[in-house]
Amino acid sequence: MNNALTLLGLLRRQPSYGYDLKHAYDRYFGSQKPLAFGQVYSTLARMIRDELIRALGEEPGAGPDRKKYEITPAGQDRVQQWLFTPDVPSQTLQSDLFAKTVVALLVDDDADRLLDLQRAEHMGRMRELTRLKHEGDLLQVLMCDHGIFHIEADLRWIELTGARLTQLKKELLSA
Amino acid sequence: MKTTPTIPALLSVRNVHKDFGPTPALRGIDLDVHPGEVLAVMGPSGSGKSTLLHCMAGVMPPDHGTVTYTRPNAPEGSVEISILGEAARSALRLSEFGFVFQYGQLLPELTAVDNVTIPLLLAGTKRREALRKASGLLERLGLAGQGEKLPGELSGGQAQRVAIARAMVAEPAVLFADEPTGSLDSLAAENVLTLLLELVREVGTTVVMITHDPRTAAYADREVIVRDGMIGAGHRVAA
Ligand SMILES: Nc1ncnc2c1ncn2[C@@H]1O[C@H](COP(=O)(O)OP(=O)(O)OP(=O)(O)O)[C@@H](O)[C@H]1O
Ligand SMILES: [Mg+2]
């Protein structure tokens, strides 16, 4: 999740203090990991530098917490661009797991075990999200579901790869 | 959940084998189910999950190995299910176990509420009392006013909730479920599972639930994987 663009998107609603922005962020997105104030203000500083936002009603010497921030037209464009540019489906985990599996087979180590460990880890996370989901409001339900469905996709890949290890090893070793 | 020496497993499976003619379905299963836990049994199609459940629940005897059932409040009275005869197994199933399957388990000619009363009537409960309990449970499962419908007049999710009511109405010590949400869409499956788990936690029923679906398994306390008639290694999940 892109915190900077998310904050910028929230600023599109109305000019806000850093404090209010942080709380809006935490309310919608931060139930698992609230933003630190420091992170909010450093992000805001960067966005000022990039002219995506500007500070309103500057009092000389006032700290960042005394300023209200407003989105600029360039910031508006940036949000639009973010909203309507689809994300590349995340490949980091899959490619790492893929690499580990292939290497394990190549060095004749236990690829099955590696997949089992990953599966157990994924199941543990899924259980945790399932629990969280049933404690929260609809917003939290949707957020947990998003995580749950992604984990499910990984698990399917793990299961299928596990079933194909023998074949995969044969192909790797003959290549 | 971890094995603690003081509380014996509710169900203890040791070196269980089962062949169907030339096909080995179970090849040395060891498994402990602890009182109060919800266990998911996962694994590929044909790996032996249903066969395992049938052996554990006394639906069929294993060829080799033992299945021991020990009620938590009566540890001296453990029963070796695997050596019981047909009649004794059937009596045990009736008094201690509940069952939910994927579909087709309700008697089509009986109304929903009558279906739910069956286990109570078989156990000797008076009809009026059985009806009262059954209606109460149906209401609890969000089926108020649906009790007089026939199974054919219910949606899949509703029928599955009736099946759960029937499985739970006699407050069994163990609920065995084979793909209980297998025929439902995501949201219906979720509703059924949530209700099921609320109920079992309240009654203190232990659950053994077969599922292909990781999202369903995530409702359990832990999962085991059956592969080629054996329990896969490395699936212990930290408590
Ligand atoms: N009554 C039976 N007669 C003959 N073979 C059987 C019988 N029941 C099961 N088998 C065989 O035993 C093996 C295990 O079957 P089982 O039904 O336990 O698998 P499963 O894991 O439940 O599969 P699924 O996920 O498809 O329900 C399979 O090879 C199956 O063909
Ligand atoms: Mg089966």
Side-chain angles (χ1 to χ4, degrees):
Chain A
M1 189 167 152
N2 188 321
N3 289 337
L5 285 169
T6 305
L7 285 174
L8 190 60
L10 288 174
L11 262 179
R12 218 180 80 175
R13 300 180 309 171
Q14 78 238 350
S16 308
Y17 292 102
Y19 177 89
D20 295 328
L21 265 184
K22 175 201 151 40
H23 286 289
Y25 179 97
D26 289 349
R27 164 151 184 261
Y28 297 122
F29 313 108
S31 64
Q32 303 221 46
K33 194 169 178 289
L35 273 186
F37 275 110
Q39 198 185 346
V40 175
Y41 289 119
S42 63
T43 304
L44 290 172
R46 234 176 308 116
M47 292 198 291
I48 288 182
R49 184 200 65 198
D50 296 341
E51 296 179 345
L52 299 172
I53 62 172
R54 58 195 173 87
L56 291 177
E58 287 208 50
E59 305 163 32
D65 52 329
R66 301 294 306 278
K67 291 176 190 160
K68 216 168 187 178
Y69 299 89
E70 181 185 60
I71 193 165
T72 63
Q76 302 268 16
D77 288 349
R78 189 71 196 79
V79 172
Q80 285 307 105
Q81 194 193 347
W82 173 56
L83 288 181
F84 301 106
T85 307
D87 290 322
V88 177
S90 166
Q91 293 183 345
T92 46
L93 169 88
Q94 210 63 308
S95 59
D96 197 37
L97 190 54
F98 175 68
K100 287 196 221 172
T101 307
V102 170
V103 169
L105 289 173
L106 286 174
V107 302
D108 206 18
D109 210 323
D110 195 345
D112 222 336
R113 173 157 174 273
L114 181 163
L115 291 176
D116 274 346
L117 287 173
Q118 188 64 55
R119 153 201 259 287
E121 183 75 21
H122 268 56
M123 278 305 304
R125 179 65 182 145
M126 198 134 151
R127 245 193 303 281
E128 195 181 316
L129 286 173
T130 302
R131 238 186 332 259
L132 269 176
K133 168 175 163 174
H134 287 277
E135 287 163 6
D137 55 8
L138 188 55
L139 216 54
Q140 184 160 325
V141 168
L142 295 185
M143 193 184 63
C144 290
D145 268 341
H146 191 261
I148 286 169
F149 281 106
H150 278 77
I151 293 175
E152 182 182 16
D154 286 346
L155 281 166
R156 288 189 191 284
W157 183 87
I158 290 169
E159 195 56 37
L160 212 59
T161 304
R164 287 168 167 167
L165 278 180
T166 312
Q167 192 191 345
L168 179 59
K169 182 161 189 173
K170 220 184 284 168
E171 290 197 12
L172 285 173
L173 294 183
S174 70
Chain B
M1 288 202 182
K2 254 182 146 172
T3 316
T4 43
T6 45
I7 305 173
L10 190 73
L11 278 162
S12 185
V13 179
R14 287 295 173 270
N15 195 30
V16 157
H17 289 253
K18 181 79 192 177
D19 294 345
F20 293 106
T23 316
L26 300 177
R27 307 193 294 154
I29 297 268
D30 289 322
L31 176 64
D32 281 338
V33 184
H34 306 293
E37 85 171 325
V38 176
L39 174 72
V41 177
M42 305 182 73
S45 195
S47 61
K49 302 180 297 293
S50 296
T51 307
L52 174 60
L53 187 132
H54 291 153
C55 288
M56 290 173 83
V59 174
M60 62 166 80
D63 295 338
H64 301 286
T66 57
V67 176
T68 311
Y69 173 60
T70 309
R71 298 211 59 168
N73 46 359
E76 68 289 353
S78 24
V79 191
E80 200 177 320
I81 298 180
S82 39
I83 57 167
L84 293 178
E86 179 97 46
R89 278 190 275 119
S90 141
L92 182 73
R93 291 201 303 270
L94 185 62
S95 64
E96 305 281 328
F97 301 158
F99 293 87
V100 186
F101 302 104
Q102 187 169 349
Y103 38 52
Q105 47 196 324
L106 298 175
L107 295 177
E109 66 277 17
L110 294 186
T111 62
V113 71
D114 281 336
N115 261 283
V116 177
T117 58
I118 294 172
L120 294 174
L121 297 178
L122 287 175
T125 308
K126 292 251 172 7
R127 187 171 154 76
R128 173 191 282 270
E129 171 68 3
L131 278 173
R132 194 187 60 77
K133 273 197 175 161
S135 315
L137 195 50
L138 285 177
E139 194 169 318
R140 173 78 201 280
L141 291 172
L143 292 171
Q146 310 282 326
E148 292 311 316
K149 285 190 176 172
L150 294 171
E153 298 166 338
L154 297 168
S155 76
Q158 290 169 336
Q160 209 53 0
R161 277 180 278 161
V162 174
I164 285 168
R166 190 178 65 179
M168 288 299 296
V169 73
E171 308 203 337
V174 189
L175 178 72
F176 291 97
D178 196 341
E179 299 282 2
T181 56
S183 55
L184 305 179
D185 70 38
S186 295
L187 200 55
E190 199 172 299
N191 291 334
V192 164
L193 273 174
T194 307
L195 287 167
L196 174 71
L197 289 182
E198 246 177 60
L199 214 54
V200 299
R201 303 236 193 253
E202 199 176 292
V203 175
T205 297
T206 301
V207 180
V208 179
M209 170 173 71
I210 294 178
T211 178
H212 279 99
D213 174 17
R215 276 183 287 127
T216 301
Y219 282 82
D221 298 312
R222 66 174 174 126
E223 77 279 352
V224 293
I225 321 285
V226 179
R227 287 203 183 97
D228 294 331
M230 294 182 287
I231 302 273
H235 303 299
R236 217 202 73 79
V237 172

